[in-house]
Amino acid sequence: MPTEAAPTGPASGALLLCRAAPASVAPVAHLLREPMRLTRAGDEWSVLVPEGRPWRDGAEPVDRVVTGWTTALAVGAPWPVLALWWDPGHAGFTFASGFRRPVGFEWLASGVPVGEDEAMRTFAARLGLDPVLDVEALDRLAEPDSAADAGTRLRGLLAVLARVGVSLPAGLAPGAPADRLLEAAAERPDSLPVEWPGWREAVAERGTVDHSRLGPWMPWTGGPRARALALAQVAAGLPLLVRGLRRRGGGWAAAGALLLAHGALGLTYALTHPRD
């Protein structure tokens, strides 16, 4: 049977790898307001499998959407986020950690590299990969190879990531259609659905934060450090939201909205739970 992308070639899709347990990832992922499945991808990693409505509806390319999501998930979290993405003509990855600018690399469907070598080295350094063996393996992925298409490149990247504990569950292979990936993730015994619960459930009726839903994404101590981080999230979120709305970019708009929302919640907590 034809897939959703049969008229144009392979389907578009993405996988978001977070270096944290599902219990830590779920509260943050809720704020993206995108239906997803969440499951383990190794002892120290989790993987989010998005439904992918922004790119399936043709609103924005998959790489731009996941760049916004990756940025939003990584800002303020103590763990990095790596997105693997693909579409009929390209494939690549985007890596984000904290407030630093995301880095990534891209290949054409044929496997021709179109990214910068320095991005690979920056990625390796930020993720804590071996500066010799792992960097050499990444450098090979950035070199021309007529026998390696984009799918082969992503599998090569996953082989390097296995050295830091990444282990994608069976059925979660880059290049597969989103619906097939969702089915494979749902079959996992530890799989969780990720859906936006709504602000009424995320925030308690008296205006305080419900930690059971929002989790340990930010150190809400009510002190100066927490307030400063909340203000930084608001300051970073506003221009991203404006950019996304102007360009009709779902990924950037989601990133901006998430940062604004979480920063506002952090400020609310700081005001309602003051510390001397």
Side-chain angles (χ1 to χ4, degrees), residues 42-270:
D43 292 339
E44 299 179 356
W45 291 82
S46 302
V47 59
L48 286 162
V49 184
E51 187 177 284
R53 287 180 299 182
W55 60 80
R56 295 174 75 176
D57 294 342
E60 192 173 7
V62 59
D63 59 323
R64 293 184 185 177
V65 174
V66 299
T67 296
W69 286 350
T70 304
T71 302
L73 288 171
V75 169
W79 31 264
V81 183
L82 172 67
L84 310 179
W85 60 267
W86 55 92
D87 64 23
H90 309 77
F93 71 86
T94 300
F95 179 80
S97 57
F99 280 95
R100 288 180 291 189
R101 183 177 180 180
V103 296
F105 201 87
E106 180 179 343
W107 298 272
L108 299 180
S110 61
V112 175
V114 291
E116 298 181 0
D117 293 348
E118 187 58 33
M120 284 291 197
R121 298 184 179 92
T122 301
F123 164 64
R126 291 185 184 178
L127 190 56
L129 295 172
D130 186 281
V132 178
L133 297 178
D134 292 340
V135 168
E136 287 181 356
L138 291 175
D139 283 343
R140 288 194 292 272
L141 294 176
E143 297 172 353
D145 184 349
S146 59
D149 60 11
T152 302
R153 301 290 198 172
L154 288 181
R155 289 190 292 273
L157 177 63
L158 286 171
V160 176
L161 294 175
R163 299 173 189 170
V164 290
V166 174
S167 179
L168 284 177
L172 297 187
D179 53 355
R180 192 179 305 165
L181 293 173
L182 286 168
E183 290 176 3
E187 292 175 355
R188 300 282 300 174
D190 62 347
S191 175
L192 299 171
V194 175
E195 296 180 357
W196 172 240
W199 288 114
R200 183 171 298 180
E201 297 182 34
V203 182
E205 293 180 358
R206 295 183 181 180
T208 59
V209 177
D210 183 348
H211 292 268
S212 66
R213 288 192 175 273
L214 294 178
W217 186 32
M218 171 177 161
W220 279 328
T221 62
R225 182 180 178 183
R227 289 194 296 270
L229 180 54
L231 286 171
Q233 289 175 329
V234 171
L238 184 58
L240 289 179
L241 179 60
V242 172
R243 176 183 178 179
L245 293 176
R246 284 180 176 176
R247 300 186 179 184
R248 296 182 179 180
W252 289 114
L258 188 152
L259 291 175
L260 281 173
H262 203 273
L265 286 174
L267 291 174
T268 298
Y269 188 84

